[in-house]
Amino acid sequence: AQSVAQPEDQVNVAEGNPLTVKCTYSVSGNPYLFWYVQYPNRGLQFLLKYITGDNLVKGSYGFEAEFNKSQTSFHLKKPSALVSDSALYFCAVRDSSNYQLIWGAGTKLIIKP
Amino acid sequence: DGGITQSPKYLFRKEGQNVTLSCEQNLNHDAMYWYRQDPGQGLRLIYYSQIVNDFQKGDIAEGYSVSREKKESFPLTVTSAQKNPTAFYLCASSHNQGSTEAFFGQGTRLTVV
């Protein structure tokens, strides 16, 4: 079955430190992968996507993600965290059978001053 | 401004009542989606529409209904058959399915009183 896993419910990082939010996937064929961010009581905002090409994808607000085919992972990263990065982050992969997105459960990122 | 608008932001429903959540987009997107978000869970797809006058059931369509009479509009009705309707509902649209990012509305929080 096709799926997405975000193994950490919550990640705590000190401001200025690098951050990583993990995502692994299982999908048939070539994966189409996405990261979104959600602030409290708001809709989701698109951060970045991997369709093909370079394994390191750069996105909005200084975020980037590394696609690793052998490990079936697509971890979200940022070199230096800001308090304003605190939010809920979702990883998603396109279902190859119906082209709908399969969502991870989300990871709450807390950046402490 | 281009975007996707959901209304109302908060909605209260008495048990046994049907309610309709509005979703309008002026992005000229073909595809539109309704998701349900519960605490600690990822987004679950209720219904989606790829084109006007066509829509498909998602993973949790029971107790919900939709229409797509216009490209810009994709209203969701939560019927009395939905046994646990209290949730945060998100509408989204995309240029086409799967390969392009989705744009989300700000959400409607529905509470059964």
Side-chain angles (χ1 to χ4, degrees), chain A residues 32 34 36 38 41-46 49 51 88 90 94 98-101 103-106, chain B residues 9 33 35 37 40-43 45 48 88 90 97-102 104-107 109:
Chain A
Y32 284 29
F34 301 81
Y36 286 81
Q38 184 181 32
N41 296 311
R42 304 294 294 273
L44 277 69
Q45 297 177 34
F46 169 76
K49 66 180 178 183
I51 305 298
L88 189 57
F90 288 96
R94 188 185 78 166
N98 64 11
Y99 302 115
Q100 299 310 307
L101 291 179
W103 295 86
Chain B
K9 188 171 183 178
Y33 315 84
Y35 291 96
Q37 185 178 21
Q41 298 190 38
L43 277 65
L45 184 63
Y48 64 99
F88 191 51
L90 288 163
Q97 284 195 105
S99 63
T100 60
E101 58 269 30
F104 282 80
Q106 296 302 297
R109 186 166 297 281

Side-chain angles (χ1 to χ4, degrees), chain B:
Chain B
D1 289 338
I4 183 165
T5 302
Q6 288 185 243
S7 62
K9 188 171 183 178
Y10 299 96
L11 186 58
F12 297 89
R13 189 195 94 171
K14 294 182 179 179
E15 288 193 23
Q17 284 184 335
N18 294 353
V19 290
T20 297
L21 283 59
S22 171
C23 179
E24 303 278 333
Q25 54 99 358
N26 60 4
L27 300 166
N28 200 32
H29 285 168
D30 289 316
M32 296 188 75
Y33 315 84
W34 274 105
Y35 291 96
R36 172 178 171 142
Q37 185 178 21
D38 294 285
Q41 298 190 38
L43 277 65
R44 292 187 289 168
L45 184 63
I46 304 172
Y47 270 97
Y48 64 99
S49 169
Q50 303 172 47
I51 197 169
V52 174
N53 292 321
D54 183 63
F55 47 83
Q56 309 293 329
K57 291 182 178 180
D59 301 319
I60 56 165
E62 185 175 352
Y64 300 97
S65 65
V66 293
S67 63
R68 187 85 187 276
E69 298 177 359
K70 298 186 299 181
K71 188 175 186 178
E72 302 79 19
S73 179
F74 191 41
L76 172 74
T77 297
V78 184
T79 75
S80 56
Q82 170 49 236
K83 298 306 179 188
N84 185 22
T86 295
F88 191 51
Y89 291 88
L90 288 163
C91 181
S93 70
S94 65
H95 184 60
N96 56 43
Q97 284 195 105
S99 63
T100 60
E101 58 269 30
F103 290 77
F104 282 80
Q106 296 302 297
T108 293
R109 186 166 297 281
L110 174 63
T111 303
V112 173
V113 296

